[in-house]
Amino acid sequence: MGLEKTTRMNYLFDFYQELLTPKQRSYMSLYYLDDHSLGEIAEEYKITRQAVYDNIRRTEAMLEEYEEKLELFEKFQRRQQLVSTFEKQPFTDENVQKFLDELKEWD
């Protein structure tokens, strides 16, 4: 699994975990945050590795659907990029207004 996917899933999990069931939260937390293997999770829950894999894949798909509809992660990334850009620019009324206008467009 690539670092980019892991990072994305960690962010999506942070934003949307309250929309998941306790079991989904637990599997995702163990797999992505605690770096447990499918086998370790399966052993802890007394189920098959395939059941853990299926649950994690379904949950990943759900997180992607939530993001597609709500765009919390995308907006977070855009805000981070805007802040970074703003910090590199001189502090002028014109630049401040430009950034405020861009922020207003997002919502």
Side-chain angles (χ1 to χ4, degrees):
M1 173 177 25
L3 181 60
E4 189 174 308
K5 179 182 178 184
T6 298
T7 301
R8 180 175 176 79
M9 279 300 133
N10 282 329
Y11 273 111
L12 294 182
F13 182 68
D14 283 347
F15 284 113
Y16 302 114
Q17 66 180 304
E18 293 303 318
L19 301 173
L20 302 176
T21 66
K23 187 191 300 185
Q24 288 170 324
R25 279 196 302 270
S26 180
Y27 287 176
M28 294 297 284
S29 178
L30 289 170
Y31 189 69
Y32 280 105
L33 302 177
D34 298 336
D35 202 28
H36 287 222
S37 69
L38 296 175
E40 290 169 324
I41 299 169
E43 188 176 310
E44 183 172 329
Y45 282 91
K46 310 273 188 273
I47 59 174
T48 65
R49 290 177 76 251
Q50 186 64 44
V52 173
Y53 176 83
D54 290 344
N55 186 289
I56 288 172
R57 294 299 166 252
R58 279 192 306 273
T59 304
E60 289 171 346
M62 288 173 65
L63 292 173
E64 291 292 354
E65 285 178 33
Y66 295 148
E67 175 60 14
E68 186 177 311
K69 291 177 175 128
L70 300 172
E71 298 180 336
L72 296 179
F73 180 48
E74 180 181 333
K75 288 176 183 177
F76 168 77
Q77 288 180 305
R78 288 168 63 190
R79 280 191 308 273
Q80 294 293 96
Q81 185 171 5
L82 186 62
V83 166
S84 176
T85 302
F86 187 73
E87 290 173 338
K88 295 174 186 170
Q89 302 254 340
F91 191 78
T92 65
D93 289 344
E94 183 181 303
N95 282 344
V96 171
Q97 189 58 51
K98 181 178 85 172
F99 289 115
L100 288 173
D101 291 343
E102 189 172 335
L103 278 174
K104 288 177 189 175
E105 289 178 21
W106 295 352
D107 293 320

